[in-house]
Amino acid sequence: MDCNVCHCVFFLPEVVVRVWIHPTRKVIRHDCIQLLHDSHETPLLPPDSVNLSGDISFDGTPRTTRFKDPLRARAEYNRLRKEKLSVNRHRKFVFGAMYDRLFQDYFEIDPIYKDYDLIVTLPSKKVTEVSIRLVAPGEGDGKDNLLVSIVELGRTLSGPGNCRGKDVGDIGSMHAIGLKSATSKTFYVTKETTAAKTENASRLMTEWMQDNMREVLSCIRKNDSDMKVEPSPSLKNAPGSRMMVSVNLANSPHYDNGDTSKSVAIWVEEKPGQSKNWFFVFPNMSFQGSKGIVVKLMHGLVISWDGREIYHCTSKTQVGEGNNTYGCLWSSTRM
């Protein structure tokens, strides 16, 4: 255990208590590689299940299946890439492919004691960086507590969301806020209560990034400025002009090739410490020969990455009774 930091979760009857004893945290650097998403070797960490896909039945009826062997899972994934529901996807995902029970030999990053920078060499030899940080639970007081503000925003959201969802095989919901694109200059429709919570959470996230991820913030803001976009009123002080909020999301590994900048996301849950099997997955990334890299998600975790370059997804999470997980992502708007 790191002597400089203790960030612990205690389970008591009806209560989950998290204690941050000292805010000083080391940043660990890992040099990694990412393989091409469409080679016979990949995914290095293949999804172990396919959810409600018509491409795995003889007559196109949606069904769900699970794989116990990683070799078969990888082979089936590569077959499904060429099938009807997946072959023309710009984001290069397989419909309904999910991570429920992770196969062995991946490298796990547990950020409870340390922060991390992943320096990733891509197949093109270009180098990109993934930054992983943990927000102190006391970041701000009362109405200005960052993590509380994200939970309060998540609670205003309901229904299937207004983007992705069943049409792409996801579980959970995804809600888009802000500009649809720089070209259209139109905004997603957002109810008043959500807009007010969005404004507060986004302002607090910008303040946190000023102290902890200033370069990423500057990159996102510059891209919006270069495209001469005017953000919606609720995002005028946000890290970027576009925001996505997920609720209990599980999805297939993909690229976000419509993005125009890096993204930054923060994850929270209603009952901190309750969710299990909650991971952000980099299935084609390797550290010291590992078959994939996974980041253990937790209340207050922040990750920045370039979704255009990094293949990524979220695992199927066991949130537990009375709990919800929320992920809030900001970036510059799309073209």
Side-chain angles (χ1 to χ4, degrees), residues 169-185:
D170 291 358
I171 294 175
S173 61
M174 184 77 83
H175 305 258
I177 300 171
L179 268 174
K180 291 184 177 181
S181 72
T183 303
S184 71
K185 300 188 185 303

Side-chain angles (χ1 to χ4, degrees), residues 247-300:
V247 183
N248 300 332
L249 180 70
N251 57 2
S252 177
H254 62 279
Y255 296 109
D256 290 313
N257 49 15
D259 286 1
T260 57
S261 72
K262 275 189 169 184
S263 299
V264 62
I266 181 170
W267 285 265
V268 297
E269 58 180 328
E270 297 266 2
K271 296 183 177 180
Q274 181 169 299
S275 290
K276 302 183 185 305
N277 200 59
W278 194 17
F279 296 105
F280 200 59
V281 182
F282 300 120
N284 292 336
M285 200 181 292
S286 180
F287 173 65
Q288 297 182 345
S290 71
K291 293 184 184 294
I293 294 177
V294 304
V295 182
K296 187 175 183 179
L297 293 177
M298 58 189 64
H299 188 65

Side-chain angles (χ1 to χ4, degrees), residues 226 246 294:
D226 289 347
S246 66
V294 304

Side-chain angles (χ1 to χ4, degrees), residues 29-270:
R29 173 188 168 120
H30 287 325
D31 292 314
C32 309
I33 61 171
Q34 179 176 269
L35 275 62
L36 288 169
H37 74 277
D38 56 356
S39 74
H40 71 278
E41 301 175 88
T42 56
L44 292 173
L45 179 61
D48 69 296
S49 64
V50 179
N51 179 63
L52 293 177
S53 171
D55 284 341
I56 56 172
S57 68
F58 75 93
D59 60 357
T61 301
R63 59 182 291 268
T64 298
T65 194
R66 183 186 305 279
F67 306 104
K68 296 182 179 180
D69 175 67
L71 294 178
R72 184 179 176 193
R74 186 176 298 113
E76 185 68 0
Y77 182 93
N78 282 313
R79 181 189 72 81
L80 289 171
R81 282 195 303 107
K82 303 170 186 177
E83 293 296 327
K84 179 175 60 176
L85 291 174
S86 305
V87 66
N88 293 320
R89 301 290 186 174
H90 295 298
R91 293 164 58 236
K92 308 301 181 186
F93 66 90
V94 167
F95 186 100
M98 298 282 172
Y99 291 89
D100 188 1
R101 301 172 187 172
L102 299 177
F103 292 118
Q104 296 181 355
D105 299 327
Y106 58 84
F107 179 74
E108 180 178 332
I109 292 175
D110 185 346
I112 196 165
Y113 297 123
K114 299 180 180 72
D115 294 328
Y116 292 84
D117 286 334
L118 307 183
I119 312 302
V120 186
T121 300
L122 303 170
S124 64
K125 305 305 179 184
K126 179 181 176 181
V127 176
T128 186
E129 185 170 324
V130 178
S131 297
I132 302 164
R133 302 290 186 268
L134 191 61
V135 176
E139 184 74 31
D141 299 318
K143 292 182 180 179
D144 287 334
N145 182 282
L146 174 57
L147 304 189
V148 170
S149 74
I150 302 292
V151 171
E152 289 181 346
L153 167 58
R155 287 174 177 165
T156 69
L157 303 171
S158 59
N162 57 0
C163 60
R164 303 183 189 175
K166 291 182 179 179
D167 290 340
V168 297
D170 291 358
I171 294 175
S173 61
M174 184 77 83
H175 305 258
I177 300 171
L179 268 174
K180 291 184 177 181
S181 72
T183 303
S184 71
K185 300 188 185 303
T186 58
F187 299 103
Y188 289 100
V189 176
T190 305
K191 60 184 180 182
E192 190 174 332
T193 52
T194 298
K197 298 297 184 183
T198 295
E199 184 174 3
N200 188 46
S202 295
R203 173 181 60 84
L204 295 174
M205 188 65 185
T206 297
E207 285 300 311
W208 182 87
M209 291 182 72
Q210 290 274 33
D211 293 327
N212 298 277
M213 284 189 174
R214 191 174 301 132
E215 289 185 8
V216 176
L217 176 62
S218 176
C219 167
I220 296 173
R221 287 288 189 90
K222 182 179 185 304
N223 277 33
D224 273 338
S225 176
D226 289 347
M227 289 187 289
K228 297 179 171 56
V229 300
E230 184 67 30
S232 64
S234 63
L235 292 176
K236 62 183 179 182
N237 294 314
S241 61
R242 188 175 69 104
M243 185 178 185
M244 308 284 283
V245 186
S246 66
V247 183
N248 300 332
L249 180 70
N251 57 2
S252 177
H254 62 279
Y255 296 109
D256 290 313
N257 49 15
D259 286 1
T260 57
S261 72
K262 275 189 169 184
S263 299
V264 62
I266 181 170
W267 285 265
V268 297
E269 58 180 328
E270 297 266 2

